Amino acid sequence: APVPGLASADLKGGVSLVNIFASWCVPCRQEHPILLELSRDPRIVLAGINYKDKNDNALKFLRELGNPFAAVGVDPAGKAAIDWGVYGIPETYLVGPDGEILFKQIGPFTTESLRDRLLPAIEEAISPPG
């Protein structure tokens, strides 16, 4: 199935989770089952940015492991990653309805980081205090 592209406007109006990944990234493969699980969470939209990877390799990666992403952007030269403040991949950003980054995960998600850090951040993003 075709993979929809990602535009900045796609990250406005709801809570989004943006994952920077590549087919050659071993930790990206390790966290992929967690991303598949997160893709079923109706509170968020999961988007990916393919980092310094060939499109064919990225599509093969998603066909083999499953595609958790509603849309995927392409960053062949790593310029978008600089704008996001990426140190290395995988990295994942929780983006609020106004486009503000609310949470950043450096490195792959684990069961513990999902439970202890990301899920509470999602809960706070969808039901802010006040």
Side-chain angles (χ1 to χ4, degrees):
V3 178
L6 177 66
S8 298
D10 295 336
L11 303 178
K12 301 262 180 166
V15 177
S16 304
L17 195 63
V18 180
N19 177 259
I20 316 296
F21 77 100
S23 65
W24 46 262
C25 167
V26 173
C28 296
R29 289 179 177 273
Q30 293 169 339
E31 80 170 353
H32 204 78
I34 291 174
L35 297 178
L36 288 168
E37 181 183 327
L38 284 168
S39 72
R40 294 188 285 274
D41 189 329
R43 302 173 298 171
I44 59 170
V45 173
L46 185 56
I49 296 178
N50 182 244
Y51 176 77
K52 293 185 177 181
D53 201 359
K54 294 180 180 166
N55 289 343
D56 288 345
N57 291 344
L59 291 171
K60 182 179 176 190
F61 173 87
L62 294 175
R63 278 194 303 270
E64 286 176 4
L65 300 179
N67 183 3
F69 305 119
V72 177
V74 180
D75 188 15
K79 292 180 181 179
I82 291 169
D83 292 341
W84 280 90
V86 172
Y87 293 101
I89 61 171
E91 285 192 16
T92 307
Y93 300 82
L94 184 65
V95 181
D98 59 357
E100 179 183 352
I101 295 173
L102 304 173
F103 169 87
K104 178 178 180 178
Q105 169 73 27
I106 298 171
F109 280 112
T110 63
T111 303
E112 293 78 20
S113 64
L114 178 70
R115 179 191 64 225
D116 298 341
R117 298 185 65 228
L118 178 62
L119 293 178
I122 290 171
E123 192 61 40
E124 186 175 325
I126 61 169
S127 53

